[in-house]
């Protein structure tokens, strides 16, 4: 079976200002609608250097994964707060919520997955320890990000794919395959349509 995929490197990522103007984000991948207004889903990473409010992303769901740093506490006006304390801790919340971040001990770096409510959703799996992991994939699009280490992966009987450190793997679907992923510090994202 031949898989049609792309490996996207840092040279193709885009640095953009936050909506609230208080920082910048690096956009790794985005899926836009035909009108060019907004997006269906987006993957990005950002350095957070100070306490402050999150940008308003009403109409989107967010999943945040801590990549580096001592962590941060999130407080939502509409719900209970949550903590990100260790690398690859993650939390899901609505972009409609008024959210403030408080850093625990210095700057952090995070990875952000946003999906448009009513259009699609994201399932996120994280493999923190080195080893070979099996993952059942059933999605419209399957993406894998290796922020700190090169990894290898294969789907079904496909050839082994090497994903370099800091690169993003993107396989458009529909995808319904078991995958083997070997490495550590791996973020796997399945974009599923409603």
């Amino acid at each position: 079976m031949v898989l049609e995929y792309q490996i996207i490197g840092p040279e193709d990522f885009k640095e953009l200002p936050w909506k609230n103007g208080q920082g910048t984000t690096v956009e790794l991948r985005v899926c836009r609608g035909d009108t060019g207004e907004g997006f269906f889903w987006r993957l990005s990473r950002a350095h957070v250097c100070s306490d402050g409010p999150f940008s308003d992303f009403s109409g989107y769901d967010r999943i945040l994964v801590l990549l580096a740093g001592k962590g941060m506490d999130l407080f939502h006006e509409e719900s209970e707060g949550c903590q990100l304390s260790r690398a690859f801790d993650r939390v899901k919340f609505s972009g409609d919520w008024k959210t403030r971040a408080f850093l625990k001990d210095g700057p952090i770096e995070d990875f952000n997955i946003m999906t448009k409510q009513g259009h699609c959703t994201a399932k996120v799996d994280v493999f923190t320890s080195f080893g070979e992991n099996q993952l059942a994939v059933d999605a419209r699009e399957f993406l894998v990000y290796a922020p700190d280490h090169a990894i290898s992966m294969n789907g079904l009987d496909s050839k082994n794919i090497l994903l370099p450190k800091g690169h993003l793997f993107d396989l458009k679907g529909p995808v319904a395959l078991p995958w083997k992923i070997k490495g550590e510090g791996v973020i796997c994202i399945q974009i599923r349509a409603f």
Side-chain angles (χ1 to χ4, degrees):
M1 178 179 194
V2 177
L3 300 175
E4 302 274 338
Y5 64 88
Q6 286 182 276
I7 293 179
I8 302 117
E11 65 278 4
D12 295 314
F13 302 160
K14 275 190 209 172
E15 187 167 337
L16 303 169
W18 288 351
K19 277 180 75 176
N20 65 15
Q22 297 186 13
T24 59
T25 192
V26 176
E27 183 180 88
L28 281 68
R29 200 73 165 153
V30 64
C31 176
R32 298 195 184 280
D34 294 336
T35 63
E37 295 179 14
F39 53 85
F40 292 138
W41 57 264
R42 187 178 85 168
L43 308 182
S44 61
R45 64 183 291 169
H47 288 282
V48 182
C49 299
S50 61
D51 301 343
F54 271 50
S55 298
D56 177 8
F57 274 99
S58 294
Y60 290 88
D61 289 320
R62 303 182 71 161
I63 299 173
L64 207 64
V65 181
L66 183 66
L67 294 180
K70 299 292 178 69
M72 67 178 169
D73 297 330
L74 300 183
F75 292 91
H76 313 291
E77 285 186 14
E78 297 80 356
S79 182
E80 289 182 18
C82 54
Q83 297 182 339
L84 296 164
S85 302
R86 294 180 308 277
F88 298 103
D89 279 356
R90 62 191 185 274
V91 63
K92 183 175 184 177
F93 59 98
S94 173
D96 298 81
W97 294 352
K98 292 181 177 62
T99 300
R100 289 191 70 84
F102 294 90
L103 300 176
K104 293 186 177 183
D105 185 13
I108 63 101
E109 191 163 5
D110 63 35
F111 183 72
N112 189 26
I113 302 111
M114 283 191 276
T115 52
K116 189 171 184 176
Q117 294 165 0
H119 178 78
C120 60
T121 187
K123 179 181 184 295
V124 177
D125 293 281
V126 175
F127 302 118
T128 57
S129 302
F130 183 81
E132 185 173 272
N133 300 281
Q134 301 263 353
L135 181 65
V137 175
D138 184 8
R140 182 170 70 187
E141 196 151 352
F142 177 49
L143 303 108
V144 179
Y145 184 48
D148 300 314
H149 305 279
I151 66 161
S152 63
M153 51 192 288
N154 65 65
L156 203 59
D157 293 324
S158 67
K159 66 175 184 173
N160 210 43
I161 298 164
L162 178 65
L163 183 62
K165 169 185 170 179
H167 287 59
L168 180 73
F169 168 88
D170 184 359
L171 173 64
K172 294 189 186 309
V175 184
L177 294 173
W179 280 80
K180 290 180 183 175
I181 298 166
K182 187 174 183 179
E184 63 181 304
V186 185
I187 303 171
C188 301
I189 306 106
Q190 298 185 50
I191 304 293
R192 295 171 170 170
F194 284 120

